[in-house]
Amino acid sequence: MITQLLIGLAALAASVAVHGAFMQAAIAFFRHVEAGHRSGFEKWALTAGVVLWFFLSICVICWGWSMLLIYLGAIEGLEEALYFSTVTFTTLGYGDVVLGTDWRLLGAFMAGNGTIIVGWTTAMVFVAVRQIYDGMDE
């Protein structure tokens, strides 16, 4: 159990670092984007870009969890590991693929990690959208 907890904490810390790096890149981008009048298409494109950027971060994190599960021997095969990671990270949790008792606590860490990252992403998208639309005449 202690091994699962330590590995889960390390994976959670790694995912926070990855998402933090994506966040820092987004912040750096928006520091260089001048405020001012934008067309509707430009606003849409910036908003879509931010959403896709953070979705990419979530994909990278799910791939990381998948690689960890394969490395530990908790799940065999990339497709099954990626499926489990994505379904668990998003807390959809179909339950058709489950971890054995040796690693099942990692599933709980993954779901908690997903909840935190998705909430963080929502906050960042909100901030970005405010930046994109701030001061615009609507």
Side-chain angles (χ1 to χ4, degrees), residues 53-64:
W53 179 250
F54 284 116
F55 183 75
L56 177 61
S57 175
I58 290 170
C59 290
V60 168
I61 293 167
C62 286
W63 273 85

Side-chain angles (χ1 to χ4, degrees), residues 10-71:
L12 189 117
S15 73
V16 168
V18 167
H19 205 62
F22 273 78
M23 180 188 71
Q24 288 298 328
I27 290 169
F29 173 79
F30 275 102
R31 284 191 176 138
H32 296 292
V33 173
E34 291 183 27
H37 183 73
R38 292 186 183 96
S39 70
F41 177 77
E42 289 170 321
K43 292 178 209 174
W44 171 86
L46 283 169
T47 302
V50 166
V51 170
L52 291 172
W53 179 250
F54 284 116
F55 183 75
L56 177 61
S57 175
I58 290 170
C59 290
V60 168
I61 293 167
C62 286
W63 273 85
W65 276 104
S66 299
M67 295 298 105
L68 175 64
L69 294 174
I70 291 169
Y71 174 77

Side-chain angles (χ1 to χ4, degrees), residues 8-135:
L9 286 171
L12 189 117
S15 73
V16 168
V18 167
H19 205 62
F22 273 78
M23 180 188 71
Q24 288 298 328
I27 290 169
F29 173 79
F30 275 102
R31 284 191 176 138
H32 296 292
V33 173
E34 291 183 27
H37 183 73
R38 292 186 183 96
S39 70
F41 177 77
E42 289 170 321
K43 292 178 209 174
W44 171 86
L46 283 169
T47 302
V50 166
V51 170
L52 291 172
W53 179 250
F54 284 116
F55 183 75
L56 177 61
S57 175
I58 290 170
C59 290
V60 168
I61 293 167
C62 286
W63 273 85
W65 276 104
S66 299
M67 295 298 105
L68 175 64
L69 294 174
I70 291 169
Y71 174 77
L72 295 171
I75 291 183
E76 292 184 22
L78 178 59
E79 193 278 334
E80 188 173 23
L82 189 55
Y83 172 79
F84 176 82
S85 296
T86 304
V87 168
T88 303
F89 193 84
T90 60
T91 68
L92 181 58
Y94 284 133
D96 54 340
V97 177
V98 295
L99 298 177
T101 57
D102 290 347
W103 298 112
R104 66 183 174 191
L105 281 177
L106 290 182
F109 271 88
M110 201 179 304
N113 186 204
T115 301
I116 292 165
I117 296 294
V118 169
W120 184 4
T121 300
T122 302
M124 289 306 299
V125 168
F126 176 79
V127 168
V129 168
R130 284 199 54 185
Q131 175 73 19
I132 292 165
Y133 286 85
D134 193 30

